[in-house]
Amino acid sequence: MDFNLSLRRALKTGEVILGQNAVEKILAENKAQLVIVAKNAPAKVREILGKAENLSVYEFAGSSRQLGKECGRDHMVSVLAIVNAGESDILALKSE
């Protein structure tokens, strides 16, 4: 699986929530199928993820700047949630 291609396909065809506050809300609603967190995500983000139960988390090997770039954004993205993968196979990361 090509992570970058799968992420872009999920962003285009599915429902992906970007950003700490929005992801925190989705986690409270128990809607996230997978959360992707940048390697350099702030401690507060990791604390939020630690409180969530039955949550699949994948740590992106790059920085939040690189994760933002992979999302097609010109800003940092420290965390994102996959609510619906659409036509992407990104949920395969849950088993890794």
Side-chain angles (χ1 to χ4, degrees):
M1 181 188 85
D2 180 342
F3 175 81
N4 300 338
L5 181 63
S6 295
L7 178 59
R8 286 192 206 111
R9 186 170 288 143
L11 286 161
K12 186 175 183 180
T13 65
E15 184 180 355
V16 180
I17 307 301
L18 304 175
Q20 177 181 328
N21 294 333
V23 168
E24 188 172 10
K25 181 179 176 190
I26 290 296
L27 292 178
E29 296 170 1
N30 203 23
K31 291 183 179 178
Q33 293 187 47
L34 174 68
V35 172
I36 299 173
V37 60
K39 192 171 194 163
N40 67 337
K44 181 167 170 63
V45 170
R46 296 196 182 274
E47 182 181 317
I48 292 165
L49 297 178
K51 291 178 184 176
E53 294 181 18
N54 300 323
L55 180 64
S56 294
V57 178
Y58 175 79
E59 184 170 302
F60 178 67
S63 68
S64 53
R65 174 68 65 195
Q66 291 168 313
L67 185 55
K69 190 173 184 180
E70 294 303 330
C71 292
R73 306 298 171 112
D74 195 29
H75 54 82
M76 295 186 289
V77 174
S78 59
V79 64
L80 61 90
I82 308 293
V83 176
N84 179 343
E87 298 172 11
S88 174
D89 62 348
I90 197 151
L91 293 180
L93 294 174
K94 289 171 73 169
S95 61
E96 289 184 13

